[in-house]
Amino acid sequence: QFESHANPIRKVVSLLQSLQTKVQKESEAEKQLFDKFQCYCSHGAGDLSASISSSGVKVPEIAKAIEASESKLAQAKADLKDAQVARASATSSMAEAGALREKEAVAFSREKAELDTNVAAISKALAALRKGMAGAFLQTTSAQVLRNLATGSQNMLDADRQDLVAFLSRDLVGAPSTDEITGIL
């Protein structure tokens, strides 16, 4: 109420005084902000230029590192492709070798069985001839196996083969004796 009855000049002076204090406070705050930014501008520019120059030095180094990494990557990709081709080739070779081994194992087992049969027939023939049972032996299947072996064998002399076949075919006329046949076997 006092202000409403006060002198209008007084009111203006009071208003101006309050406005002056408010402007002074704002001025102090702005001065502090100005000083702060002035410090940043003077020091920040130097820091920024130092950072830029150090980054400028690092750029070629980083570019070289990138090129080296790309080269290593390309080499690794090429090595990987070569390794995959080699692996596929090795797998194929192993499969072929396995199939070949299986074939050879079957052929070996057949040949072994045939040779075992031949060895057994020769052993029986020798035992019968040594005992003097040539006639009894000639009637066995072992004599037939021995006859087939003699006719198909390339490891015998022709004269020995003829003597053995003549003995085994019961053509005892002109056939060698059992001692001669034992010597051949």
Side-chain angles (χ1 to χ4, degrees), residues 93-170:
S93 296
M94 285 176 50
E96 289 174 12
L100 181 63
R101 271 189 238 109
E102 287 178 23
K103 272 176 125 177
E104 289 175 348
V106 168
F108 172 77
S109 64
R110 285 183 190 148
E111 189 173 339
K112 183 180 182 309
E114 183 181 332
L115 291 175
D116 287 345
T117 303
N118 294 342
V119 168
I122 291 172
S123 297
K124 288 180 184 178
L126 284 175
L129 291 174
R130 285 189 183 131
K131 289 182 182 177
M133 300 186 322
F137 171 71
L138 293 175
Q139 297 172 4
T140 64
T141 56
S142 295
Q144 183 61 34
V145 170
L146 190 57
R147 186 178 302 113
N148 292 340
L149 178 64
T151 56
S153 175
Q154 300 298 321
N155 296 334
M156 284 179 105
L157 296 174
D158 284 336
D160 290 341
R161 182 180 303 110
Q162 289 173 358
D163 287 343
L164 184 57
V165 170
F167 178 77
L168 293 173
S169 62
R170 298 185 195 135

Side-chain angles (χ1 to χ4, degrees), residues 24-42:
Q24 283 177 344
K25 286 181 184 177
E26 286 178 2
S27 170
E28 288 176 13
E30 284 183 15
K31 186 175 188 285
Q32 287 177 351
L33 281 174
F34 177 79
D35 290 343
K36 182 178 177 184
F37 286 118
Q38 188 66 23
C39 178
Y40 173 75
C41 287
S42 64

Side-chain angles (χ1 to χ4, degrees), residues 65-88:
I66 289 172
E67 288 176 12
S69 296
E70 288 174 346
S71 173
K72 286 180 182 178
L73 177 64
Q75 182 64 37
K77 285 182 179 179
D79 290 346
L80 176 63
K81 189 172 184 176
D82 291 345
Q84 287 173 338
V85 168
R87 179 177 172 252

Side-chain angles (χ1 to χ4, degrees), residues 53-71:
S53 65
S54 69
S55 295
V57 171
K58 290 180 183 177
V59 167
E61 293 173 6
I62 292 173
K64 287 179 184 177
I66 289 172
E67 288 176 12
S69 296
E70 288 174 346
S71 173

